[in-house]
Amino acid sequence: MTAVIEINGLCKTFGSLWRDDKTALDGFDMYVEKGQVHGFLGPNGSGKTTTLRTLLGLLRPDEGVLRILDRPSTEFGAVAHRVGAIVESPAFFTPFSGRKTLQLLATAGGLPRGRVDEALTAVGLRDRADEPVKVYSLGMRQRLAVASALLKRPELLILDEPANGLDPSGIHAMRTLMSDLAAQGVTVLLSSHLLSEIEQVCDAVTIIDRGRRVAHGPVSVVLAGHDTGEHLVRVADTERAAGLLRAAGATVRIAEGALFVGGVSGPAAISETLGQAGLWLTELTPLTPDLESVFLDLTGTRPAPDAPPQIAIPARRRPPTDSVIDLDVRSEEKA
Amino acid sequence: MNLVRAEVSRLLSRRFTVIMVIGLFAVFGITAATTLANSTRPTGDAWAAAERTAQERRNSLAQFKVTCQEAFVEDREAAEAAFRQGCDVAADASHIRPELYLEDAFVFTQEISGLTVFLAVYLSFFAFVIAASFIGAEMSSGGITNLLLWRPQRSSILGAKLAALTGCVVAFSLVFTVLYVGAFYLIAYTSGWTGDTGAAFWGELLALCGRGIALSTASAACAFALATLARHTAAALGIAVGYFLIWEAGARIVFEIGGMLPYDPYFLSSYLSAFVTGDLKYWTGLDGAGDLVITRLSGGMVLAGLTAVLTVAAFANFRRRDLT
């Protein structure tokens, strides 16, 4: 496959006369292949936006090789007409209407004005296009930003938090738009905090933390790499069930009144072991990792168990890690 | 060219620009209305009174010259002490015209130079604030970054903005100056006295207006450059206010108290004043041989040099800067 974006060993440090230098990127690598919808994940301050700005020629790298559409990023001007991009929430001139905003950009880029209506329609803003941007909601401004990126009919679309401020229907529409663009062969690099969206839309992901790549590859491969093979088991007599399963060679942890069972061939083995002892299951769920749990583990951003809740409840159930009592046989042996 | 048109549209649509223009017209309206209210067409009695005053002034000048010349004949050394500036310091009596002594009448030829200098200063302030706001807002909001994703040519983008700004300032200053001078001429024509408006007068006034427009344009370019370098409107305004408070006001007091005279060449305002109003004699030597003067040419060169240095620095910095 052809790499549309190729970043090798990217380093960037921001110097300041008044503060200590801040290293934003420390040897970061990323490859985005043609036709992919590629998710770009990382906690706040991890270097996502710095990467995108450097790629788009807005920042000068200290070290590293960046290529975009087969050209060095220093020659971004040569491929700018093939790249649609929004970086963070772009600032629009609010007295202008959405239509005029796009018309001015089309003028700056030497594009036919007919593209404006096309882009407005694609993001569902055509009916409100003649209103000044100052009356737009955050979500509408975000749609306008995406429309501005679509104006060029780009081969490569770079979107930094495109779902920011969108309501659920807007997020759904954005997801559909991404899929449609991918179907048309547009390569999309999507930076987002909405991990479930990334998981649904993206073919591949790159996860960045503290300026370094911590995971990359197809979504399924990244998830498989973090699959513990555990099952969640609920049963009336938890202690007895744990003993039986350990005796059968499984590793068992007990947490939140449930068993987390690993080292078994599959759910049938658990069911059989406990059924033969007359213990009837009330729940048996294979625990597959989702992107959020992988992200939290890789970036070390999972909240501490005794910390007050700061984020929404996870979309899927996953095994607690730090708060469990480890009943693994090998742990007992060590003790 | 399309880019410049887009920037012109952006500049003219800014609420701040509209407010400043309204403010400018309000000040102009108040000035014109006050002038109109305080001016009446001179009557025969007024002319007679003015002629009497002019004649008294002519006689006084003639008497001064006679006294001065006699003193030099009698005792040259004592006369040099008494009449340090010589006997020719007095104005030529033929220049004493009655219209200079008209009371309650706005005399165009007498007042318009001062009013035009006031206009030049006011337009320059207006242009400075609008220019700093125009580019400063783009720099701090990230609007310019958005544009660079469309046309990643930093010099072209910044150049288009500067061209749009200075073009608009020149055009607006020109139209406003014509309106301003025209309004006062009309006031003089209807409710005052226009005076002796010969070709020489109009030539001088035209040149003064041109220098006023040049000053306001240079002011806009300097503000644009400062806001580009400092990346914020407030920073550019702060630099300007800081300069005038700390250096032009504060240092002038220190020089004065310390007796470090003459200090005029150390201040930008001296050069701006020389450029707009004419040669600035800031030190008078004995018998006139040691006069120190900031010429109009040197004032203009300082203004042009400052504008060029700031603009080049802004472009050089913007070309290489990280846009975060």
Side-chain angles (χ1 to χ4, degrees):
Chain A
M1 290 289 278
T2 312
V4 172
I5 293 174
E6 203 176 342
I7 299 175
N8 286 306
L10 177 59
C11 296
K12 179 67 186 176
T13 298
F14 292 103
S16 170
L17 288 174
W18 321 111
R19 293 183 295 272
D20 292 339
D21 290 354
K22 181 181 180 299
T23 299
L25 294 168
D26 187 12
F28 178 70
D29 302 319
M30 182 161 74
Y31 302 93
V32 178
E33 292 176 355
K34 187 175 172 60
Q36 273 186 345
V37 178
H38 193 106
F40 188 24
L41 309 176
N44 290 336
S46 59
K48 295 191 301 296
T49 301
T50 301
T51 302
L52 298 183
R53 285 181 178 273
T54 310
L55 190 64
L56 295 167
L58 299 172
L59 300 178
R60 288 173 182 274
D62 299 330
E63 283 179 45
V65 177
L66 293 92
R67 294 184 68 81
I68 179 168
L69 293 172
D70 267 341
R71 303 290 284 263
S73 66
T74 48
E75 298 173 15
F76 176 68
V79 295
H81 63 286
R82 297 160 61 194
V83 180
I86 57 170
V87 184
E88 295 182 307
S89 293
F92 292 114
F93 189 57
T94 56
F96 286 171
S97 68
R99 187 187 305 282
K100 185 166 185 180
T101 299
L102 295 190
Q103 282 172 344
L104 288 176
L105 288 174
T107 303
L111 300 177
R113 288 195 166 195
R115 297 265 186 96
V116 170
D117 278 341
E118 180 186 303
L120 287 167
T121 305
V123 298
L125 259 187
R126 192 167 179 173
D127 292 343
R128 308 280 303 269
D130 294 316
E131 295 177 22
V133 173
K134 62 186 164 199
V135 305
Y136 283 9
S137 65
L138 177 61
M140 289 170 71
R141 291 183 191 204
Q142 203 62 26
R143 286 168 191 245
L144 184 62
V146 175
S148 73
L150 292 176
L151 264 183
K152 297 178 190 175
R153 291 184 186 157
E155 293 171 41
L156 170 62
L157 192 58
I158 298 174
L159 302 174
D160 192 7
E161 296 292 346
N164 191 19
L166 294 182
D167 56 19
S169 69
I171 292 173
H172 177 78
M174 192 64 68
R175 190 193 311 145
T176 307
L177 180 64
M178 297 297 119
S179 302
D180 291 347
L181 289 168
Q184 292 165 27
V186 176
T187 306
V188 181
L189 175 60
L190 185 63
S191 160
S192 177
H193 285 120
L194 296 177
L195 302 175
S196 58
E197 290 301 313
I198 292 271
E199 193 172 338
Q200 288 181 63
V201 172
C202 294
D203 308 310
V205 289
T206 296
I207 301 179
I208 182 174
D209 186 36
R210 298 182 188 91
R212 293 184 177 179
R213 185 175 71 182
V214 292
H216 69 105
V219 174
S220 56
V221 173
V222 170
L223 294 179
H226 291 77
D227 191 350
T228 59
E230 284 190 325
H231 295 72
L232 182 146
V233 176
R234 288 191 191 277
V235 64
D237 190 345
T238 307
E239 293 295 338
R240 188 175 162 223
L244 287 168
L245 289 167
R246 279 201 299 272
T251 58
V252 181
R253 297 181 294 128
I254 301 178
E256 298 173 3
L259 301 175
F260 293 90
V261 182
V264 293
S265 57
I270 297 171
S271 175
E272 185 182 349
T273 302
L274 298 182
Q276 282 174 351
L279 289 173
W280 306 112
L281 299 170
T282 56
E283 183 178 353
L284 175 56
T285 309
L287 292 173
T288 54
D290 59 11
L291 203 51
E292 183 171 287
S293 62
V294 172
F295 174 86
L296 292 174
D297 287 340
L298 283 172
T299 59
T301 50
R302 186 186 294 283
D306 52 351
Q310 294 182 34
I311 57 173
I313 296 167
R316 291 192 207 170
R317 187 166 8 201
R318 59 171 173 272
T321 52
D322 299 333
S323 59
V324 297
I325 301 165
D326 192 345
L327 295 178
D328 188 297
V329 176
R330 285 166 292 180
S331 298
E332 285 181 343
E333 284 172 353
K334 284 177 197 167
Chain B
M1 199 58 204
N2 284 336
L3 205 53
V4 175
R5 268 206 297 271
E7 292 303 332
V8 168
S9 176
R10 203 189 303 272
L11 173 63
L12 300 183
S13 302
R14 288 177 58 79
R15 188 185 302 166
F16 188 73
T17 307
V18 174
I19 290 171
M20 287 300 288
V21 169
I22 291 171
L24 195 66
F25 271 96
V27 170
F28 167 53
I30 291 168
T31 311
T34 308
T35 306
L36 184 62
N38 292 327
S39 179
T40 53
R41 188 117 185 113
T43 59
D45 290 345
W47 276 115
E51 180 54 50
R52 279 196 302 277
T53 309
Q55 190 54 49
E56 286 169 12
R57 181 67 182 148
R58 286 188 206 108
N59 294 341
S60 170
L61 281 177
Q63 185 59 47
F64 172 84
K65 279 200 171 178
V66 169
T67 308
C68 180
Q69 285 162 352
E70 285 176 356
F72 270 88
V73 170
E74 285 177 13
D75 184 348
R76 184 170 185 82
E77 204 168 311
E80 279 180 348
F83 301 96
R84 285 189 171 188
Q85 295 179 320
C87 298
D88 294 331
V89 70
D92 189 336
S94 66
H95 293 158
I96 307 295
R97 296 188 303 275
E99 64 201 42
L100 297 175
Y101 302 96
L102 279 174
E103 290 182 4
D104 301 329
F106 173 72
V107 181
F108 181 75
T109 50
Q110 193 181 336
E111 304 283 352
I112 195 62
S113 292
L115 286 168
T116 305
V117 170
F118 170 76
L119 173 68
V121 172
Y122 201 74
L123 277 178
S124 300
F125 169 75
F126 164 84
F128 191 96
V129 174
I130 283 194
S133 161
F134 175 56
I135 189 67
E138 290 271 304
M139 289 284 170
S140 54
S141 73
I144 204 160
T145 303
N146 197 25
L147 202 51
L148 282 169
L149 296 179
W150 278 81
R151 189 178 283 202
Q153 297 151 345
R154 295 189 181 197
S155 295
S156 300
I157 293 287
L158 200 63
K161 286 183 183 293
L162 181 59
L165 174 73
T166 50
C168 285
V169 168
V170 168
F172 180 81
S173 298
L174 188 65
V175 170
F176 194 82
T177 301
V178 169
L179 192 66
Y180 184 88
V181 172
F184 283 110
Y185 183 83
L186 201 61
I187 289 171
Y189 188 79
T190 55
S191 302
W193 189 251
T194 56
D196 182 12
T197 54
F201 167 81
W202 285 118
E204 282 179 21
L205 183 59
L206 194 63
L208 177 61
C209 291
R211 291 194 298 276
I213 293 169
L215 181 67
S216 64
T217 309
S219 170
C222 288
F224 180 91
L226 286 174
T228 302
L229 286 166
R231 309 182 191 199
H232 213 285
T233 306
L237 298 178
I239 290 168
V241 171
Y243 169 78
F244 280 100
L245 280 181
I246 294 171
W247 187 247
E248 290 279 350
R252 201 178 285 270
I253 293 169
V254 171
F255 281 134
E256 190 74 46
I257 292 170
M260 293 176 277
L261 303 173
Y263 49 69
D264 302 68
Y266 305 125
F267 296 99
L268 179 62
S269 57
S270 303
Y271 295 92
L272 301 184
S273 170
F275 172 66
V276 175
T277 60
D279 294 354
L280 176 71
K281 187 193 290 186
Y282 63 91
W283 186 260
T284 303
L286 293 174
D287 71 13
D291 289 352
L292 297 176
V293 177
I294 295 174
T295 64
R296 174 171 291 157
L297 178 64
S298 60
M301 285 172 66
V302 166
L303 178 62
L306 177 69
T307 307
V309 165
L310 286 177
T311 307
V312 168
F315 273 79
N317 176 272
F318 186 68
R319 273 176 61 85
R320 297 192 56 79
R321 175 195 302 171
D322 280 342
L323 294 172
T324 53

